[in-house]
Amino acid sequence: MASTLGLSKALHNMVNNGLTTQHFMLRPFQRADLKAFAAYRADPQVAKYQSWSDYSDSDAITLYEGMDYTQFGAAGNWFQLAIVSTAGATLTKLVGDLALHFIDEQQVEIGFTIAPEYQGQHIAFEAVSALLDYLFIELDKHRVIAVTDTQNLASCRLLEKLHFRREAHYVKNTFFKGAWGDEYLYAMLKNEY
């Protein structure tokens, strides 16, 4: 079990320094990210399996202003992390984002979205792999889950490539965009990682 001091240091480091992968920085959102974030979320292909549609700049601002990164890791809260390219001289090119829901002290739900022009380049695999390292090793979490539309084959493939278990198939459990849809729940325990 991670000590309280070690845990608070790991949370502090994420908020202040982010996580670095081979090609990307995972860090809290900045106001400068919001225009690109809203643009790819507004893309119908990106929004197809998501709960939102017609995403706007004001939606991005509302989401951003509703996150208090000083509470990062607190049970019950959702946070977005920017996936920013480290190629080139500056760390400003937003290529996607990760969502984290700290369900309770030991369980986290994750999500991921990649801007259309960067899909198919293994960005989500690299980013989620680093996130899992952080959650299981640095934060000593017990369980990480992800929920996806059963028709979102790219997300299913990614989660299975990362060795998540398909733990549940919820049949017609969610009504959005005018129809009932099915979802898969994927999970991974720390001892399976």
Side-chain angles (χ1 to χ4, degrees):
M1 250 342 193
S3 71
T4 304
L5 180 60
L7 183 60
S8 93
K9 183 179 178 187
L11 292 168
H12 176 77
N13 282 340
M14 168 58 86
V15 172
N16 292 306
N17 305 317
L19 295 175
T20 304
T21 74
Q22 184 177 356
H23 301 102
F24 306 101
M25 167 70 75
L26 312 178
R27 59 156 171 76
F29 263 74
Q30 298 170 357
R31 193 167 285 278
D33 299 323
L34 300 182
K35 193 122 189 99
F37 177 66
Y40 69 72
R41 277 196 163 202
D43 184 297
Q45 286 304 105
V46 171
K48 182 174 182 177
Y49 301 114
Q50 304 291 350
S51 59
W52 68 78
S53 53
D54 302 322
Y55 206 83
S56 68
D57 289 351
S58 65
D59 292 323
I61 291 167
T62 299
L63 178 71
Y64 174 73
E65 290 178 348
M67 286 185 290
D68 179 0
Y69 287 107
T70 65
Q71 297 298 310
F72 188 79
N77 292 320
W78 279 94
F79 297 93
Q80 300 295 128
L81 295 177
I83 306 171
V84 182
S85 174
T86 57
T90 60
L91 297 173
T92 58
K93 186 184 279 187
L94 181 71
V95 298
D97 65 274
L98 300 170
L100 289 89
H101 174 211
F102 292 90
I103 299 168
D104 56 31
E105 296 299 320
Q106 290 298 316
Q107 300 181 91
V108 179
E109 179 179 356
I110 64 168
F112 40 86
T113 307
I114 304 298
E117 63 269 30
Y118 300 107
Q119 291 179 5
Q121 299 176 34
H122 308 288
I123 293 168
F125 182 82
E126 185 174 331
V128 175
S129 294
L131 182 62
L132 290 173
D133 281 350
Y134 175 71
L135 293 172
F136 284 130
I137 296 167
E138 297 294 320
L139 298 187
D140 195 31
K141 296 300 182 187
H142 168 69
R143 186 168 187 260
V144 175
I145 67 167
V147 178
T148 187
D149 189 293
T150 60
Q151 294 179 27
N152 189 343
L153 301 180
S155 287
C156 294
R157 280 192 302 270
L158 173 65
L159 292 165
E160 290 166 9
K161 183 177 178 180
L162 289 162
H163 305 290
F164 275 79
R165 253 178 305 100
R166 188 181 301 168
E167 200 169 82
H169 180 171
Y170 301 120
V171 179
K172 305 225 180 297
N173 71 308
T174 185
F175 190 82
F176 77 110
K177 300 185 181 174
W180 286 100
D182 290 14
E183 292 179 313
Y184 289 139
L185 177 123
Y186 285 89
M188 183 185 294
L189 297 173
K190 181 178 181 177
N191 66 3
E192 296 172 321
Y193 184 63

